[in-house]
Amino acid sequence: MPSPGFTLAQIIADDGSPRLVLAGSLTLADGGALWQQLRRALAQQSIAVCDVSAVSRLDGGAAALLQALAVERGRAGAPLRWLGASGEVGRMLALYDCARSGSCAPVEPPASTLLGDVGDFAHGAWRTTQAILAFLGDLVVGVLAALRRPRTVHTGELGVLFERAGADGLPIVMLINFLVGAILGLQGAIQLHRFGGDQFLANLVGLSVVRELGPLMTAILVTGRSGAAYAAELGTMTVNEEVDALRTLGQDPQRFLVFPRVLTLLCVVPLLTVVGDLLGSVGGLFVAMTYLDQPMVVYLQSLQQAVSLGDVGTGLLKSFVFGGTIALVSCQRGLATRGGADGVGRATTSAVVVVLFALVVLDGVFTWVFSLLDW
Amino acid sequence: MASVLSVRDLAVGYGKEPLLEEISFEVPRGEVFAILGGSGCGKSTLLRTLVGLQEPLAGRVHFRGIGGPDKAMTPPRFGVLFQSAALLGSWTLLQNVLLPLRKWTDLPLDAATVVALARLRLVGLDQAAHQLPAEVSGGMKKRAGIARALALDPPILFLDEPSAGLDPVTAAGLDELIVTLARTLGVTIVLVSHELPSILRTTDQCIMLDRAAGGIIARGAPRELAERSPDPRVQAFFHRTTLPPS
Ligand SMILES: Nc1ncnc2c1ncn2[C@@H]1O[C@H](COP(=O)(O)OP(=O)(O)O)[C@@H](O)[C@H]1O
Ligand SMILES: [Mg+2]
């Protein structure tokens, strides 16, 4: 490190008292050295005067450091005086004299404790659950009210929303479901082949995909694509007071922002799931034809026998609920955003995590209920 | 006095079409220089071009004694206040001011905090140091932006509408700070402003821009312009009247 542009010396003044002498150029660039040297020198309580008459240059940052040390000393009961501050040096010291601009009171950051943080976290999780349920309640009430006056719902954006969530998401939904069907098919085929059960591959892949994996994989993809986007979009709007502005314009955010998105995903997720089911089954077919050398007709016939319309129906019922859940939670998380850019990030993360958790729980509940009903 | 900033035949704008053309002016060291003009005439765009955030469409901006717009690993040479203040929203006001100090000085945290708090005190915000930008008013954000721009003691400051949204008393305090920085401490200040009292109190020289004319329509000391300019657009600006239909 280059040597600093200033010097600090300690002398004995004419009256016999010790005194500090600063000389040269005091700038923020040498701030670290200035702070350390001056603090060390001032550790001696008896020094009450610092001579700055030989200081050629003093910038604002250095002046702030000098004045802060003087305040610190004053608070400890041993005030420090600047001697020979004239011209620009004097004016700079005056500008950064806190007594001039009001208070020298220290500014303490708000305290936080570990136990408090843990409590906040637990409380936060509970509040999130409550808020989402309350939001669901509001939504139901809102839907009932809107049914009577459907024109109050903002439908102008529906086309774009359908395109973004549906058409734009189609390629990835097709690809992932095909791959999942094929992977599942391969895993199954290896086992089934060992026991001579080749003809059951269509049962395995068809039922798993249509009842379980198609709806779930599709919902997970929609969560990542559309759910995250809704949370970020509504979060940014909330942070920028755009949502408040909507209220003052007589636009209910629920009808303007939430309804269209819920409606979109209620329609789009089942539609995507149908395509996903199809592609998953094709993935199984691909494995049957390449790995097991099964003719296409054999696979398709056993698929037809194994998978009933009811199986497809239960999957679609799930996907319908999944779609609503994704939209509901993502919009709620977005509208609950607080703070700035990091708030939007947290809202988006929270939306994805909460939705994925909710999807798995709902899936479990569905499976249990369907088994009770023997569907 | 030698000029710190000289601008020659500058054209600024977005895409191919320039918004403003043939902008030339000089700013001497330690002066307050104002860019005036109606809303949307390109003042912020000009300021962004001056500080190197936007490429000029033609002409050049030259800084004397403090180098050009920073590109490499050198500390920023000028402080900039954006029109929207542009504070980092997830950081407190203090952390916003600390950011450049931590990056460009070797100060330990306690000393850097001392300096940052002193900057906030200059603009009357030390007691709000631990608040987030979202928790303070628009005028406070602006002032925190000024404190951040001042953090590294830049020799030249660019301020986009510093006193917009401030009450008259706070605005007067800010004017005083600007005058102190320029007159007694030699900081060069280029500002955009609509506040007539502030302009008259602080500004040495100004240029007035016009969207339709696509460039500078008047230049000089604001008081002179207000009293002597024959241009009806200048008169309308300084006397808060509407322009007669042409
Ligand atoms: N990012 C942008 N892209 C294209 N045009 C812009 C952009 N930002 C601003 N403009 C145009 O430039 C003009 C001047 O903007 P600005 O410099 O912000 O005006 P002001 O004088 O009010 O500060 C505006 O009228 C706007 O049409
Ligand atoms: Mg502007």
Side-chain angles (χ1 to χ4, degrees), chain B residues 38-45 47 83 160-161 192 194:
Chain B
S39 287
C41 73
K43 304 181 295 296
S44 297
T45 309
L47 213 62
Q83 187 166 0
D160 199 342
E161 304 197 12
V192 169
H194 294 298

Side-chain angles (χ1 to χ4, degrees), chain B residues 88-246:
Chain B
L88 301 184
S90 31
W91 294 18
T92 63
L93 303 189
L94 179 66
Q95 288 169 329
N96 266 282
V97 183
L98 269 176
L99 176 70
L101 289 167
R102 296 296 281 166
K103 166 87 178 142
W104 294 112
T105 69
D106 61 350
L107 293 176
L109 182 60
D110 56 345
T113 306
V114 158
V115 175
L117 277 175
R119 310 294 194 197
L120 284 170
R121 193 175 293 118
L122 280 187
V123 293
L125 282 181
D126 49 324
Q127 294 304 317
H130 296 291
Q131 275 169 307
L132 291 172
E135 299 167 347
V136 303
S137 75
M140 287 163 88
K141 284 196 201 76
K142 267 282 165 69
R143 284 186 283 152
I146 295 175
R148 186 177 67 177
L150 279 171
L152 293 172
D153 280 304
I156 179 162
L157 270 179
F158 292 90
L159 309 176
D160 199 342
E161 304 197 12
S163 48
L166 294 185
D167 65 89
V169 179
T170 313
L174 198 56
D175 290 344
E176 206 175 287
L177 176 65
I178 288 173
V179 171
T180 308
L181 288 172
R183 302 277 146 69
T184 68
L185 304 172
V187 180
T188 310
I189 297 175
V190 177
L191 54 82
V192 169
S193 181
H194 294 298
E195 309 289 315
L196 291 175
S198 285
I199 295 167
L200 293 175
R201 219 172 314 156
T202 58
T203 303
D204 300 297
Q205 294 290 317
C206 68
I207 52 173
M208 182 171 285
L209 306 173
D210 186 75
R211 179 80 189 261
I216 299 178
I217 53 169
R219 63 174 78 225
R223 210 165 283 281
E224 301 255 305
L225 285 185
E227 284 161 14
R228 306 227 174 81
S229 172
D231 192 318
R233 294 166 296 188
V234 178
Q235 288 304 319
F237 183 92
F238 278 104
H239 298 105
R240 295 189 82 120
T241 53
T242 51
L243 270 175
S246 47

Side-chain angles (χ1 to χ4, degrees), chain A residues 196-234:
Chain A
D198 286 12
Q199 71 273 26
F200 295 116
L201 184 68
N203 294 45
L204 176 77
V205 174
L207 282 178
S208 307
V209 163
V210 166
R211 291 188 67 108
E212 196 64 49
L213 288 175
L216 196 60
M217 288 313 297
T218 306
I220 288 173
L221 288 172
V222 172
T223 306
R225 290 188 76 260
S226 306
Y230 293 169
E233 188 182 356
L234 268 56

